[in-house]
């Protein structure tokens, strides 16, 4: 299966060409570091591109202050990883292992140079993304979580980090490793905790706090109006972000949880053109995010739109959940849908303690040595069942109807039916949840007969609730809350009832609910938005 980037350990090293270095020299400056000097510390803004001309630079363990990796960086190599593209915070501590000379270029100037020299851009981005993959897979991380196995709040942090490709290390609460990390940070052992960098204990951790520390919540400077605000970071929104950046449209993408949207919860997509061995939804959309950042599009996660206002000059202001406002000349609604919360007693109590809405590696951990159940009959439910069957004792797929033919791709339903570790229950619904500190059993109504099954995890992947509550009545919705587009006289099939506001992907009424369709809509709509911006300029 394809991954987010090349494998750093096996990829062929391609240094920047002499003409690339010469171009950097024209806009950069030479700096010198004595042995032992730090070039970056964890949490520093990635505001410059650092190319090594002489000397040696090492990655430093933030706890022991010793060299973290056996390899070092030397002449013709450069520092950084993919957060450089979005202006995030440094996640590695870098120190001169000997007297070192560097050539340094300010980030914005370097991105502009990369846009003009595509061969240079290819080399830089290939290395930056491969380093992020290595960090994620090797768990060489400055973010450490203690207690995700027991604490719901730490689980939310872990899920946020995993879905956003943030490197982190997770320790079970009662493990010796957790005690060692807690002792090094001088905090209480046997307590859930989030630690960032050099022993920085995060009080009352939330995804928002983690994002702030990592520089992930980008914003348009106060008083500046964006060309385009894209609300939603799923396949449609990210595809639009790529094309907007490529066309020179100043765009900002916001998402309330993670880039990837609902597709980001799919562990394996096999019917998307160009990936014959399959790719996870989060890896697919992350690749698109990197493309968009290369073209200058900014991303802010987690940022939730809560209200929409129209200004007298025709521009719009969107209020975010933290009270900030973003003003923009046009809006693209790509917020997608979310799985509906079922009308079950104590559902909220079990959320994060047995009830989940995504099936990623983090949730799969909680299915080990237990059985799991999935509510839903679509492709997402089928992909989740195949993925979870690797770790769970058994997986139950609970389908309300009497067939999967109308809702699930044939290749996927055939695999489910052939897998001995998966049972499909037709004409079935969950009517009750059971368990003291966490979910242990569920009661099913199966064809009119009630019975209990023992499960440690229940995944809800049914229903489509559109994220349109923030639109403040400015655009017309259908009876189910989806955005109506392309009415009589509309300039585009993606134009809403209000000029300057467009909608694509699952949130658009009548759309085809497939990743490829969402990507296509997000790509095509940008030409319409460009035309609108040109008319109102």
């Amino acid at each position: 299966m394809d991954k987010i980037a090349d494998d750093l350990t096996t990829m062929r090293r391609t240094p920047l060409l002499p003409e690339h270095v010469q171009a950097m020299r024209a806009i950069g400056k030479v700096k010198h570091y004595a042995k032992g000097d730090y070039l970056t510390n964890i949490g520093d803004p990635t505001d410059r591109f650092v190319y090594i001309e002489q000397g040696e630079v090492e990655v430093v363990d933030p706890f022991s202050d010793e060299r973290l990796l056996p390899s070092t960086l030397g002449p013709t190599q450069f520092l950084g990883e993919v957060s450089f593209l979005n202006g995030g915070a440094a996640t590695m501590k870098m120190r001169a292992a000997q007297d070192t000379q560097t050539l340094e270029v300010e980030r914005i100037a370097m991105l502009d140079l990369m846009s003009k020299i595509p061969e240079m851009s290819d080399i830089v981005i290939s290395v930056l993304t491969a380093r992020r993959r290595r960090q994620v897979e090797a768990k060489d991380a400055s973010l450490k979580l203690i207690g995700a196995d027991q604490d719901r709040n730490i689980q939310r942090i872990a899920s946020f980090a995993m879905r956003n490709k943030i490197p982190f290390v997770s320790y079970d609460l009662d493990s010796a490793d957790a005690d060692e990390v807690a002792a090094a940070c001088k905090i209480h052992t046997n307590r859930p905790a989030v630690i960032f960098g050099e022993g920085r204990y995060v009080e009352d951790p939330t995804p928002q706090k983690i994002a702030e520390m990592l520089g992930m919540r980008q914003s348009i400077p106060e008083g500046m109006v964006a060309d385009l605000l894209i609300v939603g970071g799923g396949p449609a929104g990210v595809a639009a972000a790529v094309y907007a950046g490529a066309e020179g449209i100043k765009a900002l993408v916001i998402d309330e949880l993670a880039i990837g949207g609902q597709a980001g919860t799919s562990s394996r997509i096999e019917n998307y053109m160009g990936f014959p061995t399959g790719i996870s939804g989060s890896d697919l959309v992350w690749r698109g995010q990197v493309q968009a950042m290369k073209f200058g599009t900014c991303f802010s996660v987690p940022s939730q739109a809560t209200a929409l206002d129209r200004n007298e000059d025709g521009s719009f202001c969107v209020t975010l959940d933290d009270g900030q406002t973003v003003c923009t000349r046009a809006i693209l609604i790509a917020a997608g849908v979310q799985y509906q919360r079922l009308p079950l007693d104590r559902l909220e109590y079990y959320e994060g303690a047995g009830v989940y809405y995504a099936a990623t590696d983090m949730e799969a951990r909680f299915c080990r040595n237990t059985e799991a159940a999935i509510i839903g009959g679509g492709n997402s439910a089928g992909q989740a069942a195949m993925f979870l069957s690797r770790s769970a004792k058994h997986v139950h797929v609970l389908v309300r109807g009497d067939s999967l033919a109308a809702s699930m791709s044939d290749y996927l339903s055939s695999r489910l039916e052939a897998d001995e570790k998966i049972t499909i229950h037709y004409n079935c619904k969950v009517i009750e949840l059971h368990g003291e500190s966490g979910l242990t059993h569920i009661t099913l109504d199966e064809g009119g007969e009630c019975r209990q099954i023992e499960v440690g995890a229940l995944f809800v992947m049914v229903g489509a609730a559109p994220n349109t509550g923030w639109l403040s009545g400015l655009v017309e919705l259908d009876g189910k809350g989806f955005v109506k587009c392309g009415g009589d006289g509309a300039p585009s099939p993606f134009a809403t009832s209000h000029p300057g506001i467009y909608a694509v992907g699952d949130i658009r009424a009548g759309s085809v609910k497939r990743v490829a369709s969402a990507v296509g809509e997000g790509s095509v709509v940008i030409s319409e938005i460009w035309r609108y911006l040109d008319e109102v300029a």
Side-chain angles (χ1 to χ4, degrees), residues 302-325:
S303 292
Q304 182 179 6
T306 59
L308 172 62
D309 294 294
R310 183 182 183 277
N311 301 320
E312 291 183 1
D313 63 359
S315 64
F316 306 93
C317 280
V318 175
T319 303
L320 305 181
D321 53 348
D322 60 0
Q324 294 187 54
T325 58

Side-chain angles (χ1 to χ4, degrees), residues 245-447:
E247 294 300 325
I249 296 174
K250 183 174 61 183
L252 171 67
V253 182
I254 64 171
D255 195 282
E256 62 182 88
L257 179 60
I259 299 303
Q262 199 175 70
T265 67
S266 295
S267 56
R268 188 184 185 99
I269 298 174
E270 290 187 74
N271 57 353
Y272 190 84
M273 188 183 72
F275 296 92
T277 59
I279 187 170
S280 74
S282 62
D283 286 358
L284 175 67
V285 182
W286 191 81
R287 286 183 172 209
Q289 182 186 2
V290 171
Q291 281 181 282
M293 291 191 295
K294 179 185 77 169
F295 288 124
T297 300
C298 294
F299 289 77
S300 182
V301 179
S303 292
Q304 182 179 6
T306 59
L308 172 62
D309 294 294
R310 183 182 183 277
N311 301 320
E312 291 183 1
D313 63 359
S315 64
F316 306 93
C317 280
V318 175
T319 303
L320 305 181
D321 53 348
D322 60 0
Q324 294 187 54
T325 58
V326 177
C327 293
T328 177
R329 297 167 62 203
I331 293 176
L332 179 61
I333 307 167
V337 297
Q338 57 192 12
Y339 294 125
Q340 291 181 343
R341 301 183 72 209
L342 301 177
L344 295 171
D345 289 341
R346 302 182 74 203
L347 176 68
E348 186 174 354
Y349 174 79
Y350 291 110
E351 288 177 329
V355 174
Y356 307 100
Y357 297 89
T360 66
D361 288 335
M362 178 53 60
E363 289 79 20
R365 291 180 56 195
F366 309 130
C367 297
R368 292 174 187 161
N369 304 317
T370 187
E371 297 194 8
I374 301 169
I375 302 175
N379 279 2
S380 293
Q383 290 156 355
M386 295 300 301
F387 175 66
L388 295 171
S389 66
R390 304 176 200 163
S391 53
K393 281 184 179 178
H394 197 81
V395 177
H396 302 269
V397 180
L398 314 178
V399 183
R400 196 178 188 92
D402 57 9
S403 170
L404 290 173
S407 58
M408 187 180 294
S409 296
D410 181 70
Y411 82 92
L412 197 51
S413 61
S414 297
R415 288 182 186 177
L416 265 60
E417 292 166 352
D419 196 318
E420 295 181 353
K421 291 187 67 178
I422 297 174
T423 299
I424 305 173
H425 302 255
Y426 294 106
N427 300 306
C428 179
K429 63 180 180 180
V430 178
I431 59 175
E432 199 169 352
L433 309 175
H434 309 276
E436 293 299 326
S437 58
L439 186 69
T440 57
H441 298 75
I442 58 175
T443 299
L444 304 179
D445 178 343
E446 198 165 358

